[in-house]
Amino acid sequence: MATNKRGWHIPTITLPRIRFGSGQERKDDPAMTYYLVIVPALLLSVFGLIMGFSAQTVTAIAHGENPYTAYARPLIIILVSLVIATIVLLVPQRWLMHLAPVMFVGALGFQSLVLSPLGRSEGGNANWVKVGPIMAQPSEFLKLALIVFLGFMVSKSASKRGDWKAMSVAVGLPILTALGAVMLGRDMGTAMVVAVGALGAMWVAGLPKRWFGGLIMLAVPTMVLLVLSNPTRIRRILAILPGTSKGPDESAPEQIDHSLWALGSGGLTGLGPGASREKWNYLQAAHTDFIFAIVGEEFGLLGALGVLVCLGLLIWGMFRVARESSDLFVTIVSSGVASWIGIQTVINVLSVTGLGPVIGVPLPLVSYGGSSFLFTITAIAVVASFARARAGIWMIGRPDEASAGRDPRLAPRRRAAR
């Protein structure tokens, strides 16, 4: 059990190792885990940059703008986001723990601005804040802040993980507060992502598993009531239920119809980069929530599967970081971020392919959107920083003298006896 300068006791845990057919214990490779997080994230960022430009050219031309100069602003946002993520990548874990309470309180305050005169509504949800020329979605920051704060709180009170009263205050109250803040803007899709990310973080925290059964029993009727309270949500649910949908109306096609036509016309290899037809003001939100349909149209089934493989490797890498760490804070935050990106990917793909209701969440790192990209890549950088530190790669601050300059995959040399 480690103790930091403020006297907080941060326990360590040992997660079970994966065993294969030979029965031998798998050896961890910290450097491989680090690059398994970094490389897919960079590939998806570059690909999302290309797809964002491809999908937004039509909108720029429709407004009489040069598509190249119109893309300068989002390009700057993406580049600045990558710079911020690079800085976060070098930040030691102890800094993040000190900032956790400030991040959470700040995120809640930022989220509350959606109800102020600065709030803006899109798609029936009041989930944006506009300050001057800057338009931001505060719920994206809240996702990261909540997961980091949960890791901080559970690490601080790890000895009371079996006490439901203590955990109700340390864990339950922050989660309910965050969900309530998101639902103030009526954004049920984002609230679902926040909830799954938080539950994914708590599942590995060592809390009694029977508690999760009770949470599910409470969550299901709550979701049903939220759906029934909104006619738009009811219509979207009925659209995917067998026997309730009339099928596509070619005289008045809906958003999901255009999405399926885009995926179908792409075939195996696609129409080619920039050759999408549905992005010409046929498919709504082609550059944001439905970017996956444009990927399938321009790059075909192979391109769509390539994106999913990269996202799968990224999520697997983050779960590897959680599994290989003996630090409870690292395990909770890494699992929470992986759960967040995983469920957001699933929801987006199901919506675009018509297998699920249209909920309206972006595809991580690929969908066009400054707030989503900034906080998603920052969350990934947080997890990568944990893997980077374990691999012994340089971080900000004084390196650990026991591991500085040494390959962590090799056992330390023993000094010869004099």
Side-chain angles (χ1 to χ4, degrees):
M1 180 174 294
T3 305
N4 64 7
K5 294 180 179 181
R6 294 192 177 187
W8 298 331
H9 294 284
I10 306 174
T12 58
I13 60 174
T14 302
L15 297 179
R17 305 296 184 186
I18 296 178
R19 296 180 180 272
F20 296 90
S22 62
Q24 296 179 351
E25 185 177 280
R26 177 178 178 176
K27 295 182 179 180
D28 297 329
D29 188 342
M32 178 180 290
T33 301
Y34 171 68
Y35 289 112
L36 192 58
V37 176
I38 289 295
V39 173
L42 290 177
L43 291 176
L44 289 167
S45 299
V46 173
F47 185 72
L49 191 65
I50 297 172
M51 291 305 303
F53 174 76
S54 174
Q56 68 88 40
T57 51
V58 176
T59 304
I61 293 173
H63 287 86
E65 299 176 342
N66 185 319
Y68 296 97
T69 56
Y71 197 61
R73 182 176 178 273
L75 177 61
I76 292 174
I77 294 175
I78 291 174
L79 293 178
V80 170
S81 300
L82 290 174
V83 171
I84 294 174
T86 302
I87 296 173
V88 172
L89 184 65
L90 305 176
V91 170
Q93 173 189 332
R94 63 181 182 275
W95 291 17
L96 190 62
M97 292 194 68
H98 293 330
L99 291 173
V102 178
M103 287 175 58
F104 184 62
V105 173
L108 288 176
F110 191 22
Q111 179 65 35
S112 65
L113 293 179
V114 299
L115 299 179
S116 72
L118 300 176
R120 296 292 184 273
S121 298
E122 286 193 9
N125 297 328
N127 52 3
W128 292 86
V129 172
K130 183 174 176 60
V131 181
I134 299 176
M135 190 89 156
Q137 191 171 6
S139 57
E140 296 295 331
F141 179 36
L142 185 57
K143 295 175 187 177
L144 173 59
L146 174 63
I147 292 172
V148 173
F149 185 67
L150 290 177
F152 166 78
M153 292 298 292
V154 175
S155 299
K156 184 180 177 182
S157 55
S159 61
K160 300 179 181 179
R161 282 176 290 174
D163 185 348
W164 70 270
K165 292 183 179 180
M167 289 299 100
S168 295
V169 176
V171 173
L173 186 58
I175 294 176
L176 290 177
T177 303
L179 292 176
V182 173
M183 286 305 299
L184 287 176
R186 302 182 299 278
D187 192 348
M188 186 175 177
T190 300
M192 291 173 59
V193 176
V194 172
V196 173
L199 291 179
M202 292 301 95
W203 180 262
V204 300
L207 304 182
K209 295 299 182 283
R210 65 179 182 274
W211 292 0
F212 293 89
L215 289 176
I216 293 175
M217 294 178 63
L218 291 175
V220 171
T222 302
M223 291 179 62
V224 172
L225 290 175
L226 290 174
V227 169
L228 295 177
S229 65
N230 189 301
T232 301
R233 295 172 189 158
I234 296 175
R235 186 172 64 252
R236 290 177 177 179
I237 293 295
L238 293 177
I240 64 168
L241 294 180
T244 60
S245 177
K246 299 179 181 179
D249 184 359
E250 295 185 1
S251 62
E254 297 183 357
Q255 185 179 26
I256 188 60
D257 298 326
H258 286 292
S259 177
L260 294 177
W261 292 340
L263 291 170
S265 63
L268 182 63
T269 58
L271 303 177
S276 168
R277 295 185 289 261
E278 289 295 335
K279 70 181 181 183
W280 288 85
N281 292 331
Y282 293 108
L283 175 61
Q284 298 178 3
H287 61 302
T288 53
D289 298 343
F290 279 78
I291 192 70
F292 189 68
I294 306 302
V295 172
E297 187 179 13
E298 294 188 356
F299 293 90
L301 177 63
L302 296 180
L305 290 178
V307 170
L308 295 182
V309 167
C310 279
L311 284 166
L313 290 174
L314 172 63
I315 295 167
W316 178 40
M318 290 189 288
F319 276 123
R320 275 182 57 126
V321 174
R323 187 201 66 185
E324 295 173 3
S325 178
S326 59
D327 189 293
L328 186 57
F329 178 78
V330 172
T331 300
I332 292 173
V333 174
S334 300
S335 299
V337 174
S339 301
W340 153 19
I341 295 179
I343 191 60
Q344 190 163 313
T345 299
V346 170
I347 291 175
N348 180 272
V349 173
L350 291 180
S351 298
V352 172
T353 57
L355 298 176
V358 177
I359 294 180
V361 296
L363 187 64
L365 299 181
V366 181
S367 290
Y368 177 94
S371 300
S372 175
F373 183 85
L374 169 60
F375 294 112
T376 300
I377 197 65
T378 301
I380 294 171
V382 168
V383 179
S385 71
F386 300 150
R388 183 182 179 91
R390 187 171 183 272
I393 306 175
W394 182 83
M395 304 281 289
I396 295 177
R398 195 171 188 177
D400 182 5
E401 297 179 358
S403 61
R406 177 176 64 81
D407 189 336
R409 295 168 292 181
L410 303 177
R413 296 179 180 178
R414 294 184 179 181
R415 296 183 178 179
R418 297 181 179 179

